[in-house]
Structure formats: C-alpha cells, structure tokens
Amino acid sequence: MKVTHIERILVDVPFTQRQQDITRESVSTVYNWSLLELCKVTTDTGHLGWGETVIHYTYCRVSDHSVERVLGNNPAALMHDDSLGAGLQMALFDVVGKILEVPVYRLLGTKCCDAVPISWWCIDSSPKNWAAEAADAVENGYTSFKNKPRPWWDIFEQVDAVAEVVPEDFKLDLDPNSSLRDADTAIPILKKLAEHPNVAIFESPIPQGDVEGNNKIVENIDCPIAMHFGSPPYTACIREDVCDGFVIGGGKSQVMREGYLSAAADMPFWLQIVGNGLTTTWAAHLGSVLTHATWPAITCINLYSEHLLTKPITVVDGCHTVPDAPGLGVEVDEAAVKRFRVPDDELDANGYTIHPHPRIIKTAVYPDGSCIHMAGDGLSYFNAGNGDAYVEGARLELTFDDGTKEWDQLYQKALETPIHATW
C-alpha cells in the first residue's frame, strides 16, 4: 500500500454564538482556533484517511516537506513520526486502520476502556457566561468543566455562579496559567476554592519551574495539582512531589511515551489535544489505551458550531464512546467541509490565513475605582508582577471602537503595554 495523493483543506468553522461572544470578551487568542486544516490522504488501495490540525494552536502543522515525505510511501511506515504534523499523522492512522479493517486503538495498544472521560472547556469570562456554559455542559452530558481563572475576574463569584446551575457532583478544573504567581499568594486562594464541592483540580497555579513553591502547594492543598508534562523534568516532578498528575498533549509517540511514564509513577493525567470532531475522536482512541488517562480530556470540541462529522460526537455521563469501526471510526461530512472551506484567494503563500486581533479595549475594573486598560495579552503582563493576582469584586469591561481619535490613541497605547488609570 502506498499514499498516492494528499489534499490539504483549510476550513473556518464558526464557534457557537456564546463562544464567539466569550472569545471577543476574553483577553486571549483563541479566536483563531476556528481555522482548521484537514488532511485527506488517498492510497493505491482506494482508501481515504482524514486528519485535522488547529493551525494556530496545534503542536505541529503539516508542512510541504511532510507531504513530500509521505507521498509514494507506505503510510504504516511513517505514521508514528510526530514531526509529520497533527493532521497528517492522524490521517495516516485513519487510513491504515481502514486498510487493515481495525479501529485506530488496535494500532496503538491494548484497549483498557470503552469510553473515555471528556470535559467541557471555556476561556476566561464573566460569572454569567461561565454559568450559561456550565448549564449547556450538563445538558449535553458532561460532568466536568475546565476553565481559566484570571486576575480581571473574581474567581469566587465565577465558581458560585456555576454552582447554582450544576449538580453537586459536577466538577470544575481551574487553570490560572501561573497567574497566582507564588505559593504564598496562591495557597490562601486555593485553600478557599478547594472547600467548594464543585472544585476538583487546579492546573499550573504558579510557574511550573518553581519547584519549591509547587511542592509547598501540593503539601497544603487537598485538591490535586496538575502540571504540563516535562516542566520541570519528569524525574524532578516525581522526586520533589510538585504535582499530583499531568497534562499531556502532542503527537502520537509523545503522548504514548508520556502516558506510559505517568502510569509508571501511578499518576493520572488528562489528554489535552485540541480540535474539532476528528481530533476529539483521535484523542478518544489514544485515551482508550492509556491506563492513567483518567482525568477528563480537553479537546475544546464544545467551541464549534459543527463537528464536521456526519454523526456529531455525543457525551453521556461525562464520557465519549470510542468508535469500533475501522480507522478513526467516524465519517467526515464533506458537504460541511465544502461549506466552511476558506477560498483560495484568501490564503497566504503558505496556504493559511489568520483572523485579525479584535479591536477592543478590555478594562479590568476594581471596586476602589482603579482600572487597567488592555488591548493585547493581559496575562503575561499580570504574570510579570504587574497588578494584583486576585482582587475581590474585579470585573472586565469592554470598550468598542467608536471611530474617535481618543479611542484609537488609548487602544494603541494599551497595545504597547496595559495602562493603569481611574475608571
């Protein structure tokens, strides 16, 4: 068997309406996650394989060089190479599984579960929006929700708002992305949050390289602490007791290696492999053969208004059933692919496109009347020690471009660095 053709298709799949609003509100870059590159691989056996890459997030894009390496070769000989890029590697596993008439998990290892846990996901947003997202999560069969505490929101108001619309056993995994800075700042906040019945896991509350600080947090906080695998190095994590489990992502070979090492240390993890329907299915196959992938996976599929599959993915009791059909076991909705395809005249020389950064001034407003105007990446500014890591009653206000010179001047200044002022 040989690969005879590879087609790469860029699509722009709209987020759900609320996620579009939340993305606009958030100080983040996830607005470009709607851009997906699909890889369609054809072999001389007449089989087709599909894969998917979130081009402005995924660990590795598919390159022209990768395509050249694969064309004319046996897909099984190359499919374990993570450097091929997310979508192409996924498509090779899909087509090999179809040719051999086995599901992808058979190509990965021994299946240890028929369904894998999966979590709803949301970037930072208001208590009202988090509550609405959580209610949707419950309605759609999810039992957990991963979200992003930020210095410009009151995390306790957010958690309380979610608690009003979810069952008591619904779980929240909170990821401050190191914005709680250090152990002395983080521990009082985490201790109070850990008392909440819905709070389950904290991810990277302070910089992962702070070994002493993270060890202190583990010793003082009852909830598990998750860290991205590899920082600090695996052996240091185990030796210094800096976390209770891991966040694992990347290509097939990296995921399997890190999953086995986690199992050797008897530490749970969640898979963080972001994308739409194809990616979520791929993650399910990986999770089904990894014994310690017991924390709910993060694929962010709930962001998308359509899954690009003929049968949308469903979640029951917080789990996604692993398909048993050959390959990935799902069928791509080619009509939807055609509908969302980005026209060739909108692509750059590399075959990609990017959405412009929204022109919005985002202002952290505090109860004392002070504020911080932001137009770029506010998180790195706060993580550098500017502004407070947490302020009770903090909120984010948006100011849209009104066409005035004054607005544009403030926006340009805030792009350079956030501005402290009075609200």
Side-chain angles (χ1 to χ4, degrees), residues 26-43:
S26 169
V27 185
S28 72
T29 58
V30 299
Y31 55 89
N32 272 304
W33 291 8
S34 64
L35 293 165
L36 312 171
E37 183 183 72
L38 304 180
C39 277
K40 183 180 180 182
V41 171
T42 305
T43 64

Side-chain angles (χ1 to χ4, degrees), residues 203-249:
E203 177 189 347
S204 305
I206 66 174
Q208 292 194 182
D210 182 354
V211 172
E212 182 179 351
N214 280 292
N215 171 260
K216 189 174 180 181
I217 288 174
V218 169
E219 290 180 347
N220 284 274
I221 303 301
D222 289 336
C223 287
I225 306 298
M227 277 191 177
H228 285 266
F229 192 102
S231 174
Y234 168 75
T235 52
C237 282
I238 307 305
R239 183 179 62 250
E240 304 296 337
D241 193 23
V242 298
C243 64
D244 301 290
F246 295 108
V247 180
I248 290 177

Side-chain angles (χ1 to χ4, degrees), residues 183-352:
D184 290 341
T185 301
I187 286 172
I189 299 169
L190 299 179
K191 273 190 172 181
K192 185 176 178 181
L193 286 169
E195 294 173 357
H196 200 287
N198 295 112
V199 173
I201 301 172
F202 298 114
E203 177 189 347
S204 305
I206 66 174
Q208 292 194 182
D210 182 354
V211 172
E212 182 179 351
N214 280 292
N215 171 260
K216 189 174 180 181
I217 288 174
V218 169
E219 290 180 347
N220 284 274
I221 303 301
D222 289 336
C223 287
I225 306 298
M227 277 191 177
H228 285 266
F229 192 102
S231 174
Y234 168 75
T235 52
C237 282
I238 307 305
R239 183 179 62 250
E240 304 296 337
D241 193 23
V242 298
C243 64
D244 301 290
F246 295 108
V247 180
I248 290 177
K252 172 266 169 185
S253 294
Q254 178 182 344
V255 165
M256 297 299 291
R257 179 180 63 85
E258 294 178 357
Y260 289 147
L261 287 172
S262 298
D266 197 21
M267 294 176 73
F269 62 89
W270 69 63
L271 289 174
Q272 188 155 298
I273 304 177
V274 171
N276 203 351
L278 286 168
T279 300
T280 298
T281 306
W282 168 243
H285 283 280
L286 287 164
S288 73
V289 300
L290 292 167
T291 58
H292 283 61
T294 54
W295 286 348
I298 308 299
T299 71
C300 304
I301 190 172
N302 61 280
L303 296 178
Y304 299 98
S305 58
E306 295 197 34
H307 295 173
L308 302 185
L309 304 177
T310 56
K311 293 183 179 180
I313 288 174
T314 58
V315 175
V316 178
D317 293 332
C319 289
H320 169 207
T321 299
V322 185
D324 267 320
L328 289 172
V330 293
E331 183 178 347
V332 170
D333 184 347
E334 298 199 49
V337 171
K338 183 177 180 180
R339 188 164 67 252
F340 296 124
R341 184 168 189 158
V342 178
D344 290 344
D345 59 6
E346 295 182 15
L347 304 179
D348 61 22
N350 297 313
Y352 299 125

Side-chain angles (χ1 to χ4, degrees), residues 18 52 108 193 304 335:
R18 186 183 300 112
E52 175 185 271
L108 297 171
L193 286 169
Y304 299 98

